[in-house]
Amino acid sequence: MSAHNEEAPILIEDGLMEGGSPDGESPNRGSIVLEAGPDAAGQRLDQWLAGKLGPDMSRSRVQMLIRQGAVKVGGRPVNETKRKMAAGDCVSVDMPQPEPAEPQGEEIPLDVLYEDNELIVINKPPGLVVHPGAGNWTGTLVNALIHHCGDSLSGIGGVRRPGIVHRLDKETSGVMVVAKTDRAHKSLSEAFADHGLTGDLKRAYLALVWGIPMRPTGTVDEPLGRAADRVRRAVVPEGRDDARHAVTHFSVIERFGEQQKEFATASLVECRLETGRTHQIRVHMAHIGHPVVGDPDYGQAFRTKANRLPEPLKGRVKAFPRQALHARLLEFRHPTTHLTMRFEAPVARDMEELVDGFRKL
């Protein structure tokens, strides 16, 4: 029993859809409604839904749809992938539009620090995703680069990541270099893979962190792997299968509130990477008890620290929408001239205003 047209949702009773949609096509757009039969009782929502949506809909994509609020049970959005099913549950799924075959150029402003025929160096603003991916197929740095550079990026480093040799988190600002030729891509990729251990690559970040480290300088040498939720990263035992060597060197640049006991303290810290793991600085600083201010993933336990600040700083910290992390410096050897190039980017205005607020403690 099904109805399928442009205006009406697809209604599928449990057991009528095995291995694909009713019309034999992969479900990729519109709204789908499924009614759970007796056999669904006790199953996890993500497992059951992945089985009903066919082989072209992976379980990880189903989980992403659930977390994005695209799945409703009984008309109410759910975001718990492990939710247990019950017989008779009515599950609706708002399917996304089909993904484009290749990223398209978009006229997005770029803060270009340097550009030649081989590469381009930009100051990435916070909030800009680097390359297209789940939930972010447009509006990325790659879309902006394709528009800015034209055909010169075509085929370099893969369709989804043309020219990209390293990345910054969406909410992290700062210096990035992008290759415009295969030669530059190979040279820069090797430098970043080596993390500068045998070359001329240097990277430095500024992080506003909670508290004041006991020592002015230090090194965090702890392997990173997937956290229990399989989305975030965490410090893990060295022998674990997914453990990856990770080393962060830090030095305290400024201390805020050190001479008083009434308010929470903070520090401006420079972090230099010896390795380049996902979320490395954020995880390492949280691990030693000094998470990045505003970090929604690794600083949740410190959110109440803002209550121990005076106004207007208290309100500013609570309203700050991201982690206070900035890629300040990038130094590398040019792939063709072999000259050492050094680029620095000023801290984004919102983070600079936040730091200024702490300076008044």
Side-chain angles (χ1 to χ4, degrees), residues 114-139:
Y114 174 84
E115 182 175 11
D116 60 23
N117 292 332
E118 297 287 333
L119 54 85
I120 180 172
V121 181
I122 62 109
N123 179 17
K124 188 188 87 66
L128 181 64
V129 175
V130 171
H131 53 75
N136 294 288
W137 298 112
T138 61

mmCIF file of all heavy atoms in Angstrom, residues 114-139:
data_model
loop_
_atom_site.group_PDB
_atom_site.id
_atom_site.type_symbol
_atom_site.label_atom_id
_atom_site.label_comp_id
_atom_site.label_asym_id
_atom_site.label_seq_id
_atom_site.Cartn_x
_atom_site.Cartn_y
_atom_site.Cartn_z
ATOM 1 N N TYR A 114 48.014 35.571 0.021
ATOM 2 C CA TYR A 114 49.031 35.424 -1.022
ATOM 3 C C TYR A 114 48.492 34.478 -2.092
ATOM 4 O O TYR A 114 47.738 33.549 -1.803
ATOM 5 C CB TYR A 114 50.324 34.844 -0.437
ATOM 6 C CG TYR A 114 51.374 34.539 -1.479
ATOM 7 C CD1 TYR A 114 52.233 35.533 -1.942
ATOM 8 C CD2 TYR A 114 51.512 33.255 -1.995
ATOM 9 C CE1 TYR A 114 53.191 35.257 -2.912
ATOM 10 C CE2 TYR A 114 52.466 32.961 -2.960
ATOM 11 C CZ TYR A 114 53.303 33.965 -3.422
ATOM 12 O OH TYR A 114 54.235 33.686 -4.379
ATOM 13 N N GLU A 115 48.913 34.721 -3.331
ATOM 14 C CA GLU A 115 48.503 33.825 -4.415
ATOM 15 C C GLU A 115 49.506 33.912 -5.557
ATOM 16 O O GLU A 115 49.986 34.988 -5.904
ATOM 17 C CB GLU A 115 47.101 34.191 -4.928
ATOM 18 C CG GLU A 115 46.586 33.266 -6.016
ATOM 19 C CD GLU A 115 45.152 33.566 -6.426
ATOM 20 O OE1 GLU A 115 44.625 34.629 -6.020
ATOM 21 O OE2 GLU A 115 44.557 32.745 -7.155
ATOM 22 N N ASP A 116 49.839 32.754 -6.124
ATOM 23 C CA ASP A 116 50.621 32.708 -7.362
ATOM 24 C C ASP A 116 50.089 31.540 -8.194
ATOM 25 O O ASP A 116 48.998 31.023 -7.904
ATOM 26 C CB ASP A 116 52.123 32.589 -7.080
ATOM 27 C CG ASP A 116 52.511 31.332 -6.296
ATOM 28 O OD1 ASP A 116 51.749 30.343 -6.334
ATOM 29 O OD2 ASP A 116 53.577 31.327 -5.654
ATOM 30 N N ASN A 117 50.823 31.120 -9.216
ATOM 31 C CA ASN A 117 50.334 30.064 -10.100
ATOM 32 C C ASN A 117 50.316 28.694 -9.441
ATOM 33 O O ASN A 117 49.667 27.768 -9.944
ATOM 34 C CB ASN A 117 51.185 29.998 -11.370
ATOM 35 C CG ASN A 117 51.009 31.211 -12.249
ATOM 36 O OD1 ASN A 117 49.946 31.852 -12.231
ATOM 37 N ND2 ASN A 117 52.032 31.563 -13.008
ATOM 38 N N GLU A 118 51.032 28.535 -8.323
ATOM 39 C CA GLU A 118 51.152 27.228 -7.682
ATOM 40 C C GLU A 118 50.236 27.043 -6.483
ATOM 41 O O GLU A 118 49.782 25.931 -6.214
ATOM 42 C CB GLU A 118 52.610 27.009 -7.222
ATOM 43 C CG GLU A 118 53.617 26.966 -8.345
ATOM 44 C CD GLU A 118 53.539 25.679 -9.143
ATOM 45 O OE1 GLU A 118 53.124 24.649 -8.585
ATOM 46 O OE2 GLU A 118 53.896 25.706 -10.333
ATOM 47 N N LEU A 119 49.943 28.118 -5.766
ATOM 48 C CA LEU A 119 49.207 27.976 -4.514
ATOM 49 C C LEU A 119 48.496 29.261 -4.138
ATOM 50 O O LEU A 119 48.747 30.329 -4.714
ATOM 51 C CB LEU A 119 50.148 27.534 -3.395
ATOM 52 C CG LEU A 119 51.409 28.382 -3.141
ATOM 53 C CD1 LEU A 119 51.125 29.555 -2.214
ATOM 54 C CD2 LEU A 119 52.517 27.528 -2.566
ATOM 55 N N ILE A 120 47.615 29.141 -3.169
ATOM 56 C CA ILE A 120 46.914 30.304 -2.622
ATOM 57 C C ILE A 120 46.845 30.149 -1.107
ATOM 58 O O ILE A 120 46.624 29.047 -0.592
ATOM 59 C CB ILE A 120 45.493 30.440 -3.235
ATOM 60 C CG1 ILE A 120 44.772 31.667 -2.658
ATOM 61 C CG2 ILE A 120 44.657 29.181 -3.028
ATOM 62 C CD1 ILE A 120 43.455 31.975 -3.362
ATOM 63 N N VAL A 121 47.104 31.237 -0.405
ATOM 64 C CA VAL A 121 47.059 31.247 1.059
ATOM 65 C C VAL A 121 45.933 32.167 1.484
ATOM 66 O O VAL A 121 45.843 33.314 1.031
ATOM 67 C CB VAL A 121 48.396 31.735 1.655
ATOM 68 C CG1 VAL A 121 48.333 31.718 3.180
ATOM 69 C CG2 VAL A 121 49.554 30.875 1.156
ATOM 70 N N ILE A 122 45.059 31.667 2.354
ATOM 71 C CA ILE A 122 43.898 32.459 2.766
ATOM 72 C C ILE A 122 43.798 32.507 4.287
ATOM 73 O O ILE A 122 44.354 31.662 4.991
ATOM 74 C CB ILE A 122 42.585 31.907 2.154
ATOM 75 C CG1 ILE A 122 42.323 30.476 2.656
ATOM 76 C CG2 ILE A 122 42.632 31.934 0.642
ATOM 77 C CD1 ILE A 122 41.179 30.363 3.607
ATOM 78 N N ASN A 123 43.084 33.504 4.766
ATOM 79 C CA ASN A 123 42.737 33.609 6.176
ATOM 80 C C ASN A 123 41.286 33.172 6.295
ATOM 81 O O ASN A 123 40.368 33.908 5.946
ATOM 82 C CB ASN A 123 42.913 35.049 6.665
ATOM 83 C CG ASN A 123 42.545 35.226 8.126
ATOM 84 O OD1 ASN A 123 42.458 34.270 8.877
ATOM 85 N ND2 ASN A 123 42.306 36.465 8.525
ATOM 86 N N LYS A 124 41.072 31.932 6.749
ATOM 87 C CA LYS A 124 39.719 31.378 6.817
ATOM 88 C C LYS A 124 38.941 31.988 7.978
ATOM 89 O O LYS A 124 39.423 31.998 9.115
ATOM 90 C CB LYS A 124 39.775 29.860 6.995
ATOM 91 C CG LYS A 124 38.394 29.185 6.870
ATOM 92 C CD LYS A 124 38.439 27.725 7.242
ATOM 93 C CE LYS A 124 38.252 27.475 8.714
ATOM 94 N NZ LYS A 124 36.899 27.841 9.226
ATOM 95 N N PRO A 125 37.744 32.477 7.711
ATOM 96 C CA PRO A 125 36.931 33.015 8.810
ATOM 97 C C PRO A 125 36.269 31.889 9.597
ATOM 98 O O PRO A 125 36.084 30.780 9.073
ATOM 99 C CB PRO A 125 35.875 33.849 8.073
ATOM 100 C CG PRO A 125 35.696 33.126 6.766
ATOM 101 C CD PRO A 125 37.074 32.610 6.404
ATOM 102 N N PRO A 126 35.891 32.126 10.844
ATOM 103 C CA PRO A 126 35.134 31.108 11.579
ATOM 104 C C PRO A 126 33.777 30.896 10.928
ATOM 105 O O PRO A 126 33.199 31.818 10.339
ATOM 106 C CB PRO A 126 34.990 31.724 12.978
ATOM 107 C CG PRO A 126 35.135 33.204 12.767
ATOM 108 C CD PRO A 126 36.103 33.352 11.635
ATOM 109 N N GLY A 127 33.284 29.669 10.990
ATOM 110 C CA GLY A 127 31.977 29.353 10.427
ATOM 111 C C GLY A 127 32.019 28.824 9.018
ATOM 112 O O GLY A 127 30.986 28.386 8.496
ATOM 113 N N LEU A 128 33.186 28.828 8.378
ATOM 114 C CA LEU A 128 33.302 28.352 6.997
ATOM 115 C C LEU A 128 33.834 26.923 6.995
ATOM 116 O O LEU A 128 34.936 26.657 7.463
ATOM 117 C CB LEU A 128 34.234 29.261 6.194
ATOM 118 C CG LEU A 128 34.427 28.901 4.714
ATOM 119 C CD1 LEU A 128 33.115 29.047 3.957
ATOM 120 C CD2 LEU A 128 35.508 29.778 4.095
ATOM 121 N N VAL A 129 33.037 25.990 6.459
ATOM 122 C CA VAL A 129 33.459 24.597 6.310
ATOM 123 C C VAL A 129 34.493 24.523 5.198
ATOM 124 O O VAL A 129 34.368 25.202 4.175
ATOM 125 C CB VAL A 129 32.248 23.697 5.979
ATOM 126 C CG1 VAL A 129 32.687 22.272 5.707
ATOM 127 C CG2 VAL A 129 31.238 23.739 7.113
ATOM 128 N N VAL A 130 35.519 23.683 5.364
ATOM 129 C CA VAL A 130 36.597 23.629 4.377
ATOM 130 C C VAL A 130 36.168 22.937 3.095
ATOM 131 O O VAL A 130 36.334 23.475 2.000
ATOM 132 C CB VAL A 130 37.846 22.945 4.972
ATOM 133 C CG1 VAL A 130 38.894 22.675 3.883
ATOM 134 C CG2 VAL A 130 38.453 23.826 6.053
ATOM 135 N N HIS A 131 35.637 21.725 3.195
ATOM 136 C CA HIS A 131 35.263 21.013 1.963
ATOM 137 C C HIS A 131 33.889 20.367 2.112
ATOM 138 O O HIS A 131 33.436 20.091 3.226
ATOM 139 C CB HIS A 131 36.316 19.970 1.576
ATOM 140 C CG HIS A 131 36.658 19.001 2.663
ATOM 141 N ND1 HIS A 131 35.843 17.964 3.045
ATOM 142 C CD2 HIS A 131 37.745 18.920 3.460
ATOM 143 C CE1 HIS A 131 36.410 17.277 4.010
ATOM 144 N NE2 HIS A 131 37.561 17.842 4.296
ATOM 145 N N PRO A 132 33.202 20.126 0.990
ATOM 146 C CA PRO A 132 31.858 19.560 1.054
ATOM 147 C C PRO A 132 31.839 18.215 1.766
ATOM 148 O O PRO A 132 32.779 17.425 1.672
ATOM 149 C CB PRO A 132 31.472 19.401 -0.428
ATOM 150 C CG PRO A 132 32.330 20.381 -1.152
ATOM 151 C CD PRO A 132 33.625 20.402 -0.396
ATOM 152 N N GLY A 133 30.753 17.968 2.471
ATOM 153 C CA GLY A 133 30.573 16.707 3.178
ATOM 154 C C GLY A 133 29.134 16.613 3.642
ATOM 155 O O GLY A 133 28.297 17.448 3.287
ATOM 156 N N ALA A 134 28.845 15.601 4.422
ATOM 157 C CA ALA A 134 27.482 15.365 4.880
ATOM 158 C C ALA A 134 26.912 16.615 5.550
ATOM 159 O O ALA A 134 27.479 17.123 6.508
ATOM 160 C CB ALA A 134 27.459 14.191 5.863
ATOM 161 N N GLY A 135 25.815 17.100 5.028
ATOM 162 C CA GLY A 135 25.147 18.274 5.584
ATOM 163 C C GLY A 135 25.730 19.599 5.140
ATOM 164 O O GLY A 135 25.194 20.649 5.470
ATOM 165 N N ASN A 136 26.839 19.561 4.395
ATOM 166 C CA ASN A 136 27.477 20.810 3.936
ATOM 167 C C ASN A 136 27.970 20.633 2.499
ATOM 168 O O ASN A 136 29.184 20.625 2.240
ATOM 169 C CB ASN A 136 28.665 21.174 4.842
ATOM 170 C CG ASN A 136 28.250 21.537 6.252
ATOM 171 O OD1 ASN A 136 27.677 22.582 6.501
ATOM 172 N ND2 ASN A 136 28.536 20.652 7.181
ATOM 173 N N TRP A 137 27.051 20.511 1.573
ATOM 174 C CA TRP A 137 27.433 20.295 0.175
ATOM 175 C C TRP A 137 27.677 21.601 -0.561
ATOM 176 O O TRP A 137 28.258 21.602 -1.644
ATOM 177 C CB TRP A 137 26.372 19.466 -0.544
ATOM 178 C CG TRP A 137 26.218 18.098 0.048
ATOM 179 C CD1 TRP A 137 25.138 17.615 0.730
ATOM 180 C CD2 TRP A 137 27.185 17.045 0.051
ATOM 181 N NE1 TRP A 137 25.371 16.336 1.154
ATOM 182 C CE2 TRP A 137 26.615 15.953 0.751
ATOM 183 C CE3 TRP A 137 28.481 16.916 -0.468
ATOM 184 C CZ2 TRP A 137 27.297 14.744 0.935
ATOM 185 C CZ3 TRP A 137 29.161 15.713 -0.269
ATOM 186 C CH2 TRP A 137 28.572 14.653 0.413
ATOM 187 N N THR A 138 27.264 22.707 0.019
ATOM 188 C CA THR A 138 27.487 24.013 -0.597
ATOM 189 C C THR A 138 27.990 24.985 0.471
ATOM 190 O O THR A 138 27.997 24.679 1.662
ATOM 191 C CB THR A 138 26.193 24.576 -1.210
ATOM 192 O OG1 THR A 138 25.199 24.735 -0.172
ATOM 193 C CG2 THR A 138 25.631 23.638 -2.280
ATOM 194 N N GLY A 139 28.423 26.162 0.027
ATOM 195 C CA GLY A 139 28.843 27.190 0.955
ATOM 196 C C GLY A 139 30.162 26.904 1.645
ATOM 197 O O GLY A 139 30.436 27.458 2.712
#
